[in-house]
């Protein structure tokens, strides 16, 4: 319970700090094709951008991916990332973004059914993948739908 409370307070502080600094925050859906796992998953996430200048911002984001196809019903991946994002305005309502950064990819332990993974035999096995340090590059477009709402595709 204590860790969950600290995580909620940290998220609220990031979002509030970003808003006070003139930044932005958002929520998103994401699709990940994990070639190493031979599987894919849909995730949900959040992002906070804290402005460093008119066109450069510090980005903090996290995503929660669950139920990787063919990797076991309880497989979960949680990338937590930080980096920079550059805004390239193309008009009043259109904005290109470029960015990149580093992250830490959490893989919590889970139980998998060998038959569900297409392996001979059967039964359940505990799988405890190692967490890894990762990086990302990002390019996207934002279309303003109003003063404080935009549709984004990265």
């Amino acid at each position: 319970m204590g860790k969950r409370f600290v995580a909620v307070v940290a998220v609220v502080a990031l979002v509030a700090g970003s808003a006070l600094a003139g930044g932005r925050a958002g929520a998103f859906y994401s699709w990940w094709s994990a070639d190493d796992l031979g599987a894919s998953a849909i995730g949900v996430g959040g992002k906070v951008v804290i402005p460093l200048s008119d066109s450069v911002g510090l980005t903090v984001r996290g995503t929660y991916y669950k139920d990787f196809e063919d990797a076991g019903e309880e497989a979960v991946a949680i990338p937590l990332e930080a980096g920079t994002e550059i805004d390239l305005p193309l008009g009043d309502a259109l904005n290109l973004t470029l960015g990149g950064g580093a992250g830490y990819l959490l893989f919590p332990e889970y139980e998998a059914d060998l038959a569900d993974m297409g392996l001979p035999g059967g039964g359940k096995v505990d799988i405890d993948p190692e967490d890894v340090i990762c990086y990302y590059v990002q390019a996207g477009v934002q279309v303003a739908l109003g003063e404080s709402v935009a549709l984004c595709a990265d």
Side-chain angles (χ1 to χ4, degrees):
M1 180 69 175
K3 288 181 183 180
R4 219 178 271 170
F5 176 74
V6 170
V8 169
V9 169
V11 168
V12 169
L14 271 174
V15 172
S18 175
L20 291 173
R24 58 186 187 269
F28 56 85
Y29 283 104
S30 179
W31 178 75
W32 182 15
S33 177
D35 292 334
D36 291 346
L37 294 175
S40 61
I42 293 177
V44 295
K47 170 179 163 178
V48 174
V49 180
I50 301 167
L52 301 175
S53 71
D54 287 342
S55 60
V56 178
L58 171 66
T59 303
V60 178
R61 62 188 195 173
T63 313
Y64 180 82
Y65 295 98
K66 185 168 172 32
D67 296 334
F68 281 86
E69 297 172 1
D70 301 327
E73 291 182 15
E74 297 181 26
V76 171
I78 306 168
L80 305 171
E81 302 162 330
T84 57
E85 187 172 290
I86 300 170
D87 293 330
L88 305 168
L90 296 178
D92 291 340
L94 187 62
N95 190 40
L96 295 179
T97 60
L98 299 173
Y104 192 73
L105 186 52
L106 301 169
F107 287 108
E109 183 176 346
Y110 66 96
E111 188 176 84
D113 189 332
L114 295 175
D116 289 345
M117 296 172 64
L119 298 174
K124 302 223 180 235
V125 63
D126 287 333
I127 298 179
D128 189 11
E130 289 187 27
D131 298 341
V132 295
I133 294 174
C134 58
Y135 67 91
Y136 71 94
V137 293
Q138 173 263 333
V141 62
Q142 298 174 354
V143 178
L145 301 177
E147 187 175 321
S148 61
V149 177
L151 181 61
C152 306
D154 289 343

